[in-house]
Every structure is written in structure tokens, then in C-alpha cells.
Amino acid sequence: MIRASALSLGQWFKSWNSLHTSERQRFETLKYLQATDQQTYQTQCSTNHSLAERVKDISFWRNKLRSETDDMFAETTALNSMKKRLERSLVELQRPLRVVQQCLYHRERRLDNDLVNDEVEKQLLQEEELVRCYQLKMKEQIEKCNAQLAENRLVLRNLGKDLDNKWEAQYIDEKCYKLQMMGNLSCFPNDTLSNNITMTPESWAKSTEQNITRSQSERAASLQQRRAAEELLKFTPEDLWRKFITVNATFKARIRDVMEARDKLQVNMSQTQQEIFHTEMLIEKIRAALWAKRSPLQVAQFRLRDRTHRPRPELCHDNSQIKLMNEVQEIQGTVHRLEYDLKRTEETLAQLVRTKTSLERDLMVKANSLFIDRERCMGLRRSYPSCQALEGHP
């Protein structure tokens, strides 16, 4: 009986020990569960905080990217507008070049002594060289603008791509931050969740900062290029119009000189015509005098001839014979002198006529030069483009 009691007591003790162990395990399990819940909650709070900080970082860089993108887009638009102004100005430069070339072409039609390399010709050649020089500078600036625009657009594409990535990343992180525990969420193996992650936060921020830094550098270069183009567009019309005024002044001086020479030629022509008139009148008088001497000479010669037919005893060298012979000699001397004077006067008339012809040619040359310089060239130069057009403004 004692043995039975001892057996029962052992069974009770064993049962009590098992019960105590079970309660201790349950308590420890409950304590562990509580600790893991607390740890999970703290971990999720820390993760949420990290996600919130990450969203702030992304938002910060997005704002910087957006601001830089807006600045770069505005600069690119301004540079593109400047390039269009350069292109319009380059087209307008064809007008002064055509004006100069047509002036040079028309002045090649000057005649005789007026076809010289005068000061107007030199100024026109200088003006042509100046226009061509600015055309070359315009083309160089347009090429530089095109190259800079290509760089700006490449930077804008990189900024836009980075900005899109930032927007998508921010959307995902905000979605993760707002994500709540739900029963229908799927689980994924850990090794598939981090295989694609290759960047550190430092390299991530540095990549975006490099994009922004490059954009700022290209934007500064674009601004410098735009200022150079603006300076060229400012100085081009100033220099061209300064030269235009100089050439016009040279034209006016040349026209004034030609008009003065023409006026002197006209005075000489008037005097020559008067001399021709008086010389022709003198020739008529000499011829009339010669005609008037014909009858007296014929009478005297006829008398001398008739007196030679007198009877031989009557052929006396009397006073009448002497008078007749003197009369014939006197009239013949007068005729010879008048014929000599007539010849000299006719030679003078011929020289005056040649002078008149030469003066007429010179007057025609001056009239042609005046027409070319005053009507043709100065008329063409009235179509010179304005400063506003040469600056590339519509």
C-alpha cells in the first residue's frame, strides 16, 4: 500500500512538473510573440521613417531637376530665337551685297576717262568686303548656335529622363509608405528583391548632381554664345550703316565733281559754238570778198590781153599799161592773201568742229556717269535694309 502511494505521488509530481513546464513555455512564447510584435512594429516605423526621408530626398532632387529643366528650356528657347534672328539677318545681308554688286556692275559701264578706279570704286569694294565679312561671321555664329542647341537638347533629354525616373521612384516610395498590412499581399523570395539594386544613396545623388552640374555648365555656355550673337547683331548694322553713309558721301562728292566738270564743258561748248558761228561768218565774208575780186581781176586781165592786140607800132608801155599791170598784180595779191586767210580760217573751223565733237563726247560721258551714279546707283542704295532688319527682327 505504501508502494502504491509512493507511485501515485510520483505520478502526481511528474504531472505537476509537466504542467509547470508547459505554462512556462507558454509564458515564454507569449513573451516572445509580444517582443516580436513590438520589434516588427518598431522596424516598420523605422522603415516608414526611412521611406518618408527618401521621399523627401527624391522630392528635393525633383524640384532641383524641375527648376534646372525650366531654366534650361528657357535658355534653349532664347538661343533658338537668337539663331533665327541670325538666320534672318544673314538673309537680309544679301540685300546690301546685291546693292553693292549692282553699283559696281553699273559703274563698269562708264566711258572713256570716267572709267577709272576712283574713290567711289574703292569705297564700294571696301563695303562689299565688309558685308562678306559679316556674312561669314553670321554663318559661324549660326553653326555655333546649332552645336550649342544640340548640347542643350541632349542635356534636356537627360534631365527629363532623370526627372521621369525621380517621379516614378517617388510614386513607388509614396505608395510603399502608405501601404498598410493587408491579408491579400503576396510574398516574394528575398533573393529576388535586391538583385537589381546596384547604386548607393551617394552615387544616386551624385548622378543627379552631375546632370544638374552639366546642365548649368551648358546653360552658361549657351548664355555666353547668345551674348556673342547679340553683340554681333548689334555691331553689324552699326558698321554697315556707318560704311553706307561714308559711301553715299563719296558718291555725292563724285557727283558734285562730275557736275562741275559738266558745267565747265557746257561753258566751253557754248564758247566753241560761238567761235564756230563767228568763224563760219568770217569764211562767208572771205569767200564773198574773193568773189568780189573776180570781176575786177577779169576786167583788168581782159584789158591787158586786148591791149596786146594793138598794132605793133602802138605797143607802147605807157602809163595805162603800167596801171593795168599794177592793178592785176594788186588784185592777184589780194586774192592770194584772201585765199591764204580762207585756208587758215577753214583749218580753224575744222579744229573748232573737232573740239566741239570732243566736247560733245565728253558731255555725253559726263551725262552717262551722272546717270549711273546719281540715278542708278543712288537709286539702288535707297533700298538699303534698315537697322532693325539687319538685327534680325521680323
Side-chain angles (χ1 to χ4, degrees):
M1 186 173 180
I2 295 173
R3 185 177 177 182
S5 298
L7 183 62
S8 298
L9 182 62
Q11 290 177 348
W12 176 84
F13 181 78
K14 185 178 180 179
S15 176
W16 180 84
N17 191 27
S18 298
L19 180 62
H20 181 72
T21 301
S22 176
E23 288 179 353
R24 187 173 66 251
Q25 289 178 348
R26 185 172 64 253
F27 175 77
E28 289 178 354
T29 301
L30 290 174
K31 184 177 179 181
Y32 175 75
L33 290 175
Q34 185 178 4
T36 54
D37 288 344
Q38 184 67 24
Q39 181 65 34
T40 300
Y41 174 77
Q42 291 178 354
T43 301
Q44 284 190 343
C45 287
S46 177
T47 302
N48 288 341
H49 179 73
S50 296
L51 285 171
E53 291 298 321
R54 181 63 176 175
V55 168
K56 288 181 181 179
D57 290 343
I58 295 174
S59 178
F60 169 77
W61 287 111
R62 270 191 67 195
N63 290 334
K64 293 196 71 173
L65 283 169
R66 187 183 296 112
S67 176
E68 182 59 32
T69 300
D70 292 342
D71 292 342
M72 192 57 169
F73 181 79
E75 175 58 33
T76 302
T77 302
L79 183 61
N80 190 52
S81 299
M82 184 60 66
K83 187 198 76 166
K84 291 180 179 179
R85 283 183 60 190
L86 287 170
E87 291 172 343
R88 285 193 295 266
S89 180
L90 181 60
V91 172
E92 285 297 325
L93 283 176
Q94 286 297 115
R95 292 173 59 190
L97 183 62
R98 282 197 301 269
V99 167
V100 174
Q101 290 175 338
Q102 288 179 4
C103 286
L104 289 170
Y105 170 75
H106 287 308
R107 296 192 95 243
E108 288 297 321
R109 297 186 175 184
R110 291 172 297 162
L111 302 172
D112 300 347
N113 294 333
D114 279 7
L115 187 58
V116 294
N117 187 17
D118 56 4
E119 186 63 25
V120 175
E121 195 86 3
K122 296 176 183 178
Q123 291 293 334
L124 284 172
L125 291 173
Q126 291 177 8
E127 187 177 20
E128 182 183 22
E129 183 181 358
L130 183 64
V131 174
R132 291 190 183 277
C133 177
Y134 275 112
Q135 280 184 326
L136 183 60
K137 289 182 179 180
M138 289 286 179
K139 291 177 181 178
E140 291 176 352
Q141 287 296 324
I142 290 173
E143 290 177 359
K144 290 180 180 179
C145 285
N146 283 329
Q148 187 61 52
L149 282 170
E151 293 296 326
N152 288 3
R153 290 174 181 131
L154 178 61
V155 168
L156 280 173
R157 282 196 294 271
N158 292 337
L159 290 175
K161 187 183 296 184
D162 199 354
L163 194 58
D164 291 341
N165 292 338
K166 292 290 185 293
W167 181 87
E168 186 175 359
Q170 184 175 352
Y171 172 76
I172 292 173
D173 284 349
E174 285 179 346
K175 178 181 177 183
C176 291
Y177 176 77
K178 296 176 183 178
L179 192 64
Q180 300 296 326
M181 291 184 293
M182 293 180 288
N184 59 350
L185 296 178
S186 301
C187 293
F188 303 93
N190 289 336
D191 56 351
T192 65
L193 299 179
S194 59
N195 286 340
N196 296 329
I197 298 177
T198 59
M199 296 184 67
T200 63
E202 291 77 13
S203 62
W204 170 81
K206 186 176 181 180
S207 174
T208 301
E209 188 174 6
Q210 287 177 345
N211 285 337
I212 294 175
T213 301
R214 183 187 175 189
S215 175
Q216 291 172 342
S217 176
E218 293 297 338
R219 185 155 52 86
S222 178
L223 178 60
Q224 185 177 1
Q225 174 59 39
R226 186 157 53 89
R227 287 175 176 172
E230 180 70 32
E231 186 176 4
L232 178 62
L233 289 172
K234 175 184 177 183
F235 287 119
T236 298
E238 291 180 358
D239 287 352
L240 288 181
W241 266 89
R242 190 181 301 114
K243 192 63 179 178
F244 172 78
I245 293 171
T246 301
V247 174
N248 280 2
T250 309
F251 258 115
K252 291 177 181 178
R254 177 63 180 173
I255 291 170
R256 185 168 54 250
D257 292 342
V258 174
M259 290 179 66
E260 290 177 358
R262 182 201 60 182
D263 293 342
K264 291 179 181 179
L265 287 171
Q266 288 176 342
V267 171
N268 290 338
M269 173 62 80
S270 178
Q271 293 174 349
T272 302
Q273 288 175 337
Q274 290 179 359
E275 286 296 323
I276 289 174
F277 174 76
H278 293 310
T279 303
E280 288 175 344
M281 293 295 295
L282 180 59
I283 289 173
E284 290 298 325
K285 290 179 179 179
I286 294 174
R287 286 175 178 172
L290 281 172
W291 182 261
K293 298 300 179 184
R294 182 180 180 182
S295 294
L297 181 60
Q298 288 175 346
V299 171
Q301 289 176 342
F302 191 79
R303 286 175 175 176
L304 279 175
R305 192 196 67 175
D306 283 350
R307 294 190 91 237
T308 59
H309 292 89
R310 290 177 295 168
R312 191 169 186 82
E314 297 297 327
L315 289 175
C316 179
H317 193 67
D318 55 8
N319 189 42
S320 296
Q321 187 73 15
I322 294 173
K323 292 283 188 182
L324 283 171
M325 291 178 64
N326 290 337
E327 182 181 3
V328 170
Q329 290 177 357
E330 179 183 346
I331 294 174
Q332 285 180 341
T334 302
V335 168
H336 289 321
R337 176 59 186 271
L338 288 174
E339 287 177 347
Y340 175 76
D341 289 344
L342 178 61
K343 183 179 179 181
R344 289 188 59 189
T345 307
E346 286 176 342
E347 289 175 354
T348 302
L349 178 62
Q351 180 62 39
L352 288 171
V353 170
R354 287 194 295 271
T355 302
K356 177 185 175 185
T357 302
S358 177
L359 288 172
E360 288 175 344
R361 175 70 181 180
D362 291 343
L363 282 171
M364 186 268 290
V365 169
K366 297 303 178 187
N368 178 67
S369 298
L370 278 176
F371 176 74
I372 289 173
D373 286 348
R374 185 171 59 186
E375 304 300 330
R376 286 288 180 84
C377 293
M378 293 304 289
L380 284 170
R381 297 183 70 80
R382 294 189 187 97
S383 63
Y384 209 84
S386 64
C387 287
Q388 184 179 7
L390 290 173
E391 288 176 356
H393 296 295

